[in-house]
Amino acid sequence: MWGGASPRWQPPLNGEKMVRTYRLTEADLHVALAGARAVEVGDVDATLDAVRRIAGGSAFQLFDAEMVAGWRHLFHAAVNSVHAARGGSAISNTVEVESMLYASCQDQISKAFTFMGLGPNVKNVAILVISEDPEEAESLAAEIADRLGVPDNGVLDVTPEKYERLREVFDVGDEALAAVGGDHYEALTSLIVEKGALLPLRR
């Protein structure tokens, strides 16, 4: 440890492995998602530099997992970031930064990273890797998780405590949840994903 059309959702390519890898069908890219707990960040810049050395040029982003509403939240942030970059609507220079904007539903980079980026006191981290090679995306996400702390994809899940916090910080009310219907946890994730997808309308 150290201080065009939107792509469609595809089932994980690697079943129940520790890293979930998805294909962005129209973009010919792959997204790998993983989690780590018991992380000791300390120096944020040093941690990010170490991860960059592992990534070797592949796109990645690290999120405060306490602000992540499940797998779909980050998958769609990746989808929207790639779509924005290729469609010319991105406000950042990289899909890594753009994915943070979409995941946080923020249109300012500094606010987005403050909202759900890596911080010195973050203990649970969500890892996103985007690559043309699915095996590379998977292996990089797994290695980053292992080097950061204890690999544990459960940190991405929405727990009862996280559910209430996410409702508050993403400003999701009872009426919106009722309108979506079904499982409240899934409804919350859907509403956060939708809020992120509408981000270009605020630009």
Side-chain angles (χ1 to χ4, degrees), residues 66 157-168 185:
E66 294 304 306
D157 295 341
V158 181
T159 63
E161 181 181 356
K162 186 193 280 193
Y163 173 82
E164 295 299 334
R165 180 170 58 255
L166 292 176
R167 281 194 58 182
E168 179 179 356
Y185 286 22

Side-chain angles (χ1 to χ4, degrees), residues 62 99 103 111 114 181:
L62 306 179
S99 67
K111 287 185 177 180
T114 299

Side-chain angles (χ1 to χ4, degrees), residues 107-122:
D107 58 2
Q108 295 184 29
I109 294 173
S110 60
K111 287 185 177 180
F113 279 90
T114 299
F115 188 78
M116 65 182 301
L118 193 69
N121 298 316
V122 169

Side-chain angles (χ1 to χ4, degrees), residues 78-147:
V79 167
N80 289 326
S81 68
V82 170
H83 184 59
R86 296 195 172 192
S89 62
I91 65 172
S92 66
N93 295 323
T94 67
V95 293
E96 296 101 314
V97 174
E98 202 71 12
S99 67
M100 182 65 75
L101 293 169
Y102 278 101
S104 64
C105 304
Q106 300 289 323
D107 58 2
Q108 295 184 29
I109 294 173
S110 60
K111 287 185 177 180
F113 279 90
T114 299
F115 188 78
M116 65 182 301
L118 193 69
N121 298 316
V122 169
K123 299 300 182 184
N124 297 326
V125 175
I127 299 142
L128 165 69
V129 176
I130 302 175
S131 174
E132 293 181 354
D133 184 342
E135 293 184 359
E136 177 182 71
E138 179 184 338
S139 64
L140 286 176
E143 183 175 358
I144 293 169
D146 185 59
R147 294 290 300 274

Side-chain angles (χ1 to χ4, degrees), residues 2-188:
W2 330 284
S6 298
R8 296 187 301 272
W9 172 273
Q10 294 289 304
L13 298 180
N14 54 2
E16 297 301 320
K17 293 183 181 180
M18 283 302 295
V19 176
R20 291 196 176 194
T21 309
Y22 303 92
R23 182 184 178 195
L24 307 186
T25 54
E26 286 84 355
D28 198 24
L29 291 171
H30 297 83
V31 173
L33 301 171
R37 59 177 171 82
V39 175
E40 298 291 341
V41 175
D43 187 322
V44 174
D45 290 336
T47 299
L48 291 172
D49 285 343
V51 174
R52 288 189 189 100
R53 289 194 291 272
I54 294 173
S58 292
F60 76 91
Q61 190 54 270
L62 306 179
F63 303 85
D64 179 356
E66 294 304 306
M67 303 296 289
V68 174
W71 299 100
R72 290 193 296 125
H73 183 184
L74 294 187
F75 171 80
H76 286 286
V79 167
N80 289 326
S81 68
V82 170
H83 184 59
R86 296 195 172 192
S89 62
I91 65 172
S92 66
N93 295 323
T94 67
V95 293
E96 296 101 314
V97 174
E98 202 71 12
S99 67
M100 182 65 75
L101 293 169
Y102 278 101
S104 64
C105 304
Q106 300 289 323
D107 58 2
Q108 295 184 29
I109 294 173
S110 60
K111 287 185 177 180
F113 279 90
T114 299
F115 188 78
M116 65 182 301
L118 193 69
N121 298 316
V122 169
K123 299 300 182 184
N124 297 326
V125 175
I127 299 142
L128 165 69
V129 176
I130 302 175
S131 174
E132 293 181 354
D133 184 342
E135 293 184 359
E136 177 182 71
E138 179 184 338
S139 64
L140 286 176
E143 183 175 358
I144 293 169
D146 185 59
R147 294 290 300 274
L148 282 174
V150 179
D152 183 356
N153 294 338
V155 300
L156 278 70
D157 295 341
V158 181
T159 63
E161 181 181 356
K162 186 193 280 193
Y163 173 82
E164 295 299 334
R165 180 170 58 255
L166 292 176
R167 281 194 58 182
E168 179 179 356
V169 298
F170 283 101
D171 192 23
V172 177
D174 292 335
E175 291 186 4
L177 288 167
V180 175
D183 179 81
H184 279 193
Y185 286 22
E186 290 295 324
L188 176 63

